[in-house]
Amino acid sequence: MDFKHIPHPAPVPGETRAEAIADPGFGKIFTDHMVVIDYDADKGGWHSAKLCAREPIALDPAAAVLHYAQEIFEGMKAYHHPDGSLGLFRPEQNARRFNASARRMAMPELPEELFLDSIKLLVGVDGGWTPTIDGGALYLRPFMFASEAFLGVRPARQYKYILIASPVGGYFKGGAKPVKIWVSRNYTRAAPGGTGAAKTGGNYAASLVPQSEGIENGCDQVVFLDAVEKKWIEELGGMNLFFVFDDGTVITPPLTGTILPGITRDSLVHLLREEGLNVREEPYSIDQWRADAVKGNLIETMACGTAAVVTPVGSVVGPDGEFSIGSGGTGQITHKLREKLVGIQTGAVADPNNWVVKL
Ligand SMILES: *Cc1c(COP(=O)(O)O)cnc(C)c1O
């Protein structure tokens, strides 16, 4: 499919842009352009692909997404490489997962090639927005929503795919500082048969009240337990978890449909195995977590995702009070793994699995 290219009539001047990306924060500033592709089931599917100025979109107040939340998204980053190019990390995985989410939300799939073309196109025109600061990247946010004006409850017949980009620094203030985790007892994130494995906005909407509860209790993030037994650790609101033991075993909760299959998670499983660690994808309970941390055989816990990369969990506030993980600081394996993953993503270390796609 050809993209109609409509350049921005008044892009942000270079100087202003340089100032903005010197300390961008996370998700607060945006680049000059966006990609839009429309879908109409009655007009043969995807059509009218364009690269244009980033601007507000006109939406009918009856657009189905505003009523029934038919929406999915992805999150990925373009990184500066030492040779001056920009690189993506496993972008084909995002394309594939976008379509897995689409299927679960009864939305049309976007051909993987079209997804990847849109990414390359936007990074091509707005790559100059990529921060050069340590930990900086151009965060890419592809999303799709039901735009049909119709209040009946059924899958919409019209959708919009949009891609925007946002220069980012670190996700958490304070960089890779250990985070404090709140165990949500009153709320769950996803139930068996639900939408937990789809990257859809509703999962995030449902996580906001428990997230506020966590913040009121002095925590940074929330860990969700399974909805059936309220016993098994699932994930944070937007990050997967790994538990590291003193005998070289690492546990991460299995992908049973209630957890988002993170690309960072999958990459860490590979990297940990390459390091000779024994990675097991199996259920791990909240009570065991506490017992193992107190006993000292659980030495590290890390949270991972595209936005925050690899972040150490320093302490946990549960119904029986607080416990810390190891010394409460950043563990050796967490540190080493973060360096390795960031090194691969930024071209500083070898990429034997060919995960990086240079642009
Ligand atoms: C996106 C996301 C993750 C992390 O996935 P990555 O592909 O590693 O960025 C984890 N959990 C949830 C709920 C997510 O939405």
Side-chain angles (χ1 to χ4, degrees):
M1 184 176 295
D2 288 332
F3 288 80
K4 187 171 173 193
H5 193 156
I6 311 161
H8 197 295
V12 171
E15 223 168 88
T16 316
R17 183 170 81 183
E19 211 170 287
I21 66 177
D23 182 20
F26 190 91
K28 294 190 293 191
I29 60 170
F30 302 95
T31 66
D32 291 317
H33 295 88
M34 66 181 184
V35 168
V36 182
I37 313 176
D38 291 309
Y39 179 94
D40 192 328
D42 303 316
K43 286 186 190 157
W46 293 106
H47 67 93
S48 306
K50 65 178 181 183
L51 170 74
C52 58
R54 200 186 85 87
E55 61 187 5
I57 47 178
L59 208 55
D60 192 288
V65 65
L66 302 177
H67 306 272
Y68 310 125
Q70 237 193 324
E71 187 270 357
I72 57 170
F73 67 96
E74 270 301 322
M76 53 208 290
K77 283 174 174 172
Y79 305 86
H80 269 299
H81 280 241
D83 64 3
S85 67
L86 290 170
L88 299 168
F89 183 72
R90 308 185 74 185
E92 72 292 341
Q93 297 296 322
N94 296 96
R96 186 183 301 174
R97 186 171 67 189
F98 193 63
N99 284 337
S101 298
R103 289 192 295 273
R104 178 61 184 86
M105 304 307 289
M107 299 167 82
E109 294 185 38
L110 182 73
E112 286 181 23
E113 210 178 283
L114 199 49
F115 179 97
L116 295 170
D117 283 351
S118 74
I119 301 283
K120 289 173 189 166
L121 202 60
L122 187 62
V123 176
V125 291
D126 283 349
W129 282 87
T130 311
T132 48
I133 52 166
D134 204 28
L138 188 62
Y139 184 81
L140 298 156
R141 170 53 61 89
F143 60 104
M144 191 211 303
F145 59 88
S147 53
E148 184 187 2
F150 179 65
L151 294 181
V153 180
R154 56 143 170 82
R157 298 187 68 75
Q158 290 163 5
Y159 297 86
K160 261 187 195 304
Y161 166 80
I162 301 182
L163 168 65
I164 55 174
S166 171
V168 298
Y171 187 72
F172 294 118
K173 272 192 227 140
K177 194 172 100 229
V179 291
K180 192 167 168 181
I181 301 290
W182 171 252
V183 181
S184 182
R185 285 277 159 164
N186 297 326
Y187 303 99
T188 55
R189 177 186 166 275
T195 58
K199 223 167 164 67
T200 182
N203 292 339
Y204 280 75
S207 76
L208 297 177
V209 163
Q211 178 70 28
S212 306
E213 193 181 73
I215 286 168
E216 278 161 25
N217 285 276
C219 295
D220 308 290
Q221 286 281 316
V222 173
V223 63
F224 290 99
L225 304 179
D226 77 286
V228 179
E229 296 181 69
K230 302 250 178 87
K231 169 177 178 182
W232 307 105
I233 300 165
E234 300 226 300
E235 62 169 318
L236 306 188
M239 277 180 279
N240 297 115
L241 285 169
F242 284 81
F243 305 92
V244 183
F245 298 85
D246 59 0
D247 66 351
T249 301
V250 179
I251 291 180
T252 191
L255 302 176
T256 52
T258 52
I259 291 176
L260 199 289
I263 296 162
T264 318
R265 175 192 180 279
D266 183 72
S267 306
L268 293 188
V269 168
H270 274 81
L271 294 177
L272 286 161
R273 286 186 177 145
E274 280 169 21
E275 294 284 334
L277 292 160
N278 171 26
V279 183
R280 301 204 315 238
E281 299 182 56
E282 61 183 39
Y284 189 56
S285 74
I286 179 70
D287 292 339
Q288 199 63 45
W289 190 15
R290 184 191 178 89
D292 289 341
V294 170
K295 201 160 48 156
N297 61 316
L298 171 95
I299 50 177
E300 301 179 32
T301 300
M302 55 189 140
C304 71
T306 296
V309 199
V310 177
T311 298
V313 175
S315 58
V316 182
V317 181
D320 308 321
E322 186 170 343
F323 62 94
S324 27
I325 311 292
S327 61
T330 303
Q332 272 179 32
I333 294 173
T334 303
H335 178 75
K336 191 170 170 188
L337 214 57
R338 184 185 167 92
E339 295 287 300
K340 178 103 191 231
L341 182 64
V342 171
I344 294 171
Q345 290 168 334
T346 57
V349 309
D351 172 30
N353 298 299
N354 292 316
W355 282 338
V356 170
V357 175
K358 292 266 204 107
L359 297 173

